Amino acid sequence: MKTNTISTKTNHPKHHNHRRPCTLRPSTVFLWASFVIIFFTALVEIQLLQTRPTSSPSSQPFLPPSWDLLNKLQNLKATFATATCSAADDKLRRAVTFLPLKDLRYTKSAQEGHTWFMSSLHDTHEQGEVAYQQFPSASSNGRLLCIKGRDVHDGAWNSYALAWPETLPYNATLMKGLTFISNNHYNYDNIWHGLSSLVPFVAWHIKNGCSVGPTRWVLFHWGELRARMGLWVKTLMEATFTGPLNIERFDFDGGDEAVCFEKAVVMRHNEGGMSRQRRMEVFDLIRCKAREHCNASSAATAAEGGGGGGIGMTLFMRTGARSFRNESAVVGIFEKECRKVKGCRLTVAHSNNLTVCEQVKLMSLTDILVSPHGAQLTNLFLMDRNSSVMEFYPEGWLKHAGVGQFIYHWMAEWSGMNYQGAWRDPDVNPCPYPGDNRRCMNIYKSGQIGYNETSFSVWARYVLNDAKQRKLDEGKGKSRDRSEYAGGCACS
């Protein structure tokens, strides 16, 4: 699919049909030659000032020899300046050096600090903001980012370079507008990993006053080009930036020639470095835009009887890996506790049966989210601020899953939610492999989750009472930290 934002190519000199003003410094030889021409031109002009041509009866105008010499010198100057400019341009175009997008020297530390993606360039990192690269900018000395990046199997075969706007590589295509370029270490289909990769662009957008949205997105995974993102992530980004996403595939005619971007922003560290306040602003914006896009705000108001006070508890279930072994028993426990609290309404849903907007609407009605660990929990930030999250794990995760098991605890804090703890299945079957062997995680990763009626009941009772008190405080005006959008979303 061709993009309609591609400008005319910068071709080989034999195809040039225009000349641009030369602003480049000539070499020492050219400098001396210029001096000589200018010196003799000055002498001739002085001579002309001293020459007083007399009128002639002849029909042919009288031109002293010095006038003819001046014209020749001026033509020589113009020719020399053009030749100087063309020669310097040619050298600068040919001097553009492309380096691998994926630098194999940093394979063992690809996700740490100086990443392997565009490894020769450093990020701009301001206090509390995401680390990013912007082109052109002072750090790039005004140069544009150019990429040869069609390979989908090995990022080391894709490459990048910087070039001056006036001297792009031969046959390069200049893409107008703002381009968002992302590189991640996982994928854009999983809603957690996809959102983590794209949240930084929303933060940059807010930081810059939401003044301009992206014309296109370029997605890389380990330096390999990707042509799509998951529907859930794509829908939220379309809602946030108010329009369809143009994911660049570089499938226009041009072989392996370079593509240069009029303006580009590159993210390669997910949301690392962002302050909690900035994260909350980002999630507030995405939440608000998603609700507008899905017409969910009015649904929440209607469900609460137009005035609020009710408590929405949602059991967000999974099937297969990390599902409850006895789902009906778990539902029965929470249903029993919900009936004890006036205004509590229980909803049981499976994430794989809902459209994106159905998930957005469901979260807008949810005050307490009860769910196993898994990507579906990424929806938690779509609840109002100060809502509660209860998370469940299968056996073996605490010891073998690593820090990744805490991502929804972090996300709850980043988005202004109350993480009410986690329940871990205590019935652990011993791993047949010694120590912390990685193969143990393969055994536990897809396990199912048991239940404990007493533990679940006590926990549910505490969280319900906490939510009820928060509702009462909000009704009395003691707490107004929940997300409200009566004045419209930010960046509107």
Side-chain angles (χ1 to χ4, degrees):
M1 169 179 167
K2 292 189 177 183
T3 174
N4 58 7
T5 58
I6 301 173
S7 72
T8 306
K9 289 186 176 181
T10 303
N11 296 310
H12 193 274
K14 67 180 181 181
H15 299 300
H16 282 176
N17 53 15
H18 67 278
R19 294 289 183 185
R20 61 169 185 81
C22 182
T23 59
L24 305 173
R25 291 183 178 181
S27 65
T28 303
V29 174
F30 288 142
L31 187 62
W32 277 106
S34 299
F35 173 77
V36 171
I37 292 175
I38 293 171
F39 176 75
F40 279 105
T41 302
L43 290 179
V44 171
E45 289 175 342
I46 291 172
Q47 180 183 0
L48 287 174
L49 291 174
Q50 298 173 347
T51 302
R52 297 179 179 271
T54 57
S55 58
S56 172
S58 172
S59 60
Q60 297 297 326
F62 171 76
L63 292 177
S66 52
W67 278 104
D68 183 59
L69 177 59
L70 177 61
N71 288 333
K72 290 181 179 180
L73 285 172
Q74 289 176 334
N75 290 336
L76 180 60
K77 274 203 306 182
T79 302
F80 173 74
T82 300
T84 302
C85 183
S86 298
D89 275 4
D90 180 70
K91 289 182 179 180
L92 283 175
R93 293 184 196 279
R94 297 183 187 279
V96 175
T97 302
F98 282 84
L99 302 173
L101 271 179
K102 178 180 176 180
D103 190 338
L104 298 179
R105 295 176 300 172
Y106 297 97
T107 300
K108 294 183 179 180
S109 60
Q111 301 182 53
E112 303 170 5
H114 201 76
T115 183
W116 63 10
F117 185 80
M118 293 172 52
S119 63
S120 69
L121 304 176
H122 295 279
D123 293 319
T124 297
H125 189 196
E126 303 168 33
Q127 184 67 33
E129 303 289 351
V130 293
Y132 67 94
Q133 296 173 343
Q134 185 171 331
F135 307 91
S137 63
S139 61
S140 74
N141 292 321
R143 290 172 294 177
L144 307 187
L145 176 65
C146 301
I147 285 179
K148 296 179 181 179
R150 296 187 178 191
D151 199 288
V152 298
H153 301 293
D154 188 349
W157 286 100
N158 292 325
S159 55
Y160 71 100
L162 300 184
W164 304 106
E166 302 87 354
T167 53
L168 300 180
Y170 286 123
N171 298 318
T173 298
L174 177 64
M175 287 192 162
K176 297 288 188 178
L178 173 62
T179 302
F180 281 170
I181 301 174
S182 170
N183 180 69
N184 71 20
H185 295 87
Y186 297 98
N187 60 67
Y188 298 95
D189 294 318
N190 179 282
I191 65 176
W192 161 257
H193 294 304
L195 186 66
S196 297
S197 298
L198 304 183
V199 155
F201 294 99
V202 182
W204 183 89
H205 186 59
I206 293 174
K207 174 181 176 293
N208 287 273
C210 309
S211 56
V212 61
T215 304
R216 69 190 61 78
W217 297 70
V218 180
L219 307 178
F220 288 105
H221 164 73
W222 290 8
E224 303 161 3
L225 186 66
R226 293 292 179 262
R228 62 181 300 274
M229 65 176 68
L231 179 61
W232 186 92
V233 181
K234 184 172 183 286
T235 300
L236 293 189
M237 290 299 103
E238 288 178 338
T240 302
F241 291 101
T242 318
L245 258 65
N246 174 19
I247 301 177
E248 184 58 58
R249 293 169 170 80
F250 301 137
D251 56 358
F252 50 87
D253 295 336
D256 192 34
E257 295 165 0
V259 172
C260 301
F261 305 100
E262 181 181 41
K263 185 176 182 181
V265 173
V266 179
M267 302 287 181
R268 53 185 185 172
H269 292 298
N270 290 356
E271 68 269 51
M274 290 173 61
S275 66
R276 183 173 183 269
Q277 180 60 37
R278 178 62 84 195
R279 294 174 196 268
M280 291 177 70
E281 291 171 358
V282 168
F283 285 119
D284 278 351
L285 177 60
I286 301 175
R287 178 193 306 118
C288 184
K289 290 287 191 176
R291 288 184 179 185
E292 279 190 349
H293 179 79
C294 297
N295 194 27
S297 298
S298 58
T301 302
E304 294 184 353
I311 298 174
M313 174 179 273
T314 298
L315 272 62
F316 211 26
M317 300 300 198
R318 292 172 60 94
T319 57
R322 298 191 298 285
S323 61
F324 289 107
R325 291 193 191 94
N326 192 338
E327 184 177 298
S328 60
V330 174
V331 172
I333 295 169
F334 285 92
E335 190 173 42
K336 179 181 177 181
E337 295 302 324
C338 186
R339 283 198 301 265
K340 296 177 182 179
V341 178
K342 183 180 178 180
C344 179
R345 60 184 187 277
L346 181 71
T347 303
V348 180
H350 289 78
S351 59
N352 57 334
N353 291 335
L354 301 178
T355 66
V356 178
C357 277
E358 286 172 342
Q359 293 176 64
V360 173
K361 290 178 180 179
L362 177 60
M363 291 302 109
S364 74
L365 301 171
T366 300
D367 298 292
I368 301 172
L369 182 60
V370 182
S371 186
H373 177 84
Q376 79 286 343
L377 265 171
T378 309
N379 283 280
L380 67 87
F381 79 91
L382 294 168
M383 300 187 292
D384 284 338
R385 277 200 197 180
N386 269 340
S387 296
S388 296
V389 180
M390 302 170 71
E391 188 174 12
F392 299 79
Y393 292 89
E395 60 175 308
W397 271 65
L398 182 60
K399 181 178 181 181
H400 300 287
V403 296
Q405 64 187 297
F406 305 116
I407 55 177
Y408 300 111
H409 186 170
W410 302 335
M411 188 176 189
E413 294 182 348
W414 296 339
S415 57
M417 305 302 163
N418 294 295
Y419 188 80
Q420 298 284 9
W423 186 84
R424 299 174 182 276
D425 197 329
D427 298 328
V428 179
N429 294 313
C431 176
Y433 305 107
D436 295 329
N437 195 296
R438 290 185 178 180
R439 289 177 290 180
C440 292
M441 189 56 201
N442 292 332
I443 295 174
Y444 298 124
K445 182 177 182 179
S446 300
Q448 290 187 301
I449 305 170
Y451 74 96
N452 182 297
E453 184 173 358
T454 301
S455 297
F456 286 13
S457 296
V458 172
W459 189 19
R461 199 174 307 137
Y462 168 81
V463 176
L464 278 164
N465 288 331
D466 182 69
K468 181 179 179 179
Q469 187 60 51
R470 289 179 185 277
K471 288 275 188 174
L472 291 173
D473 290 343
E474 289 169 2
K476 296 176 182 178
K478 294 181 180 180
S479 173
R480 301 301 295 172
D481 194 30
R482 299 171 70 84
S483 300
E484 298 181 7
Y485 310 111
C489 303
C491 295
S492 295

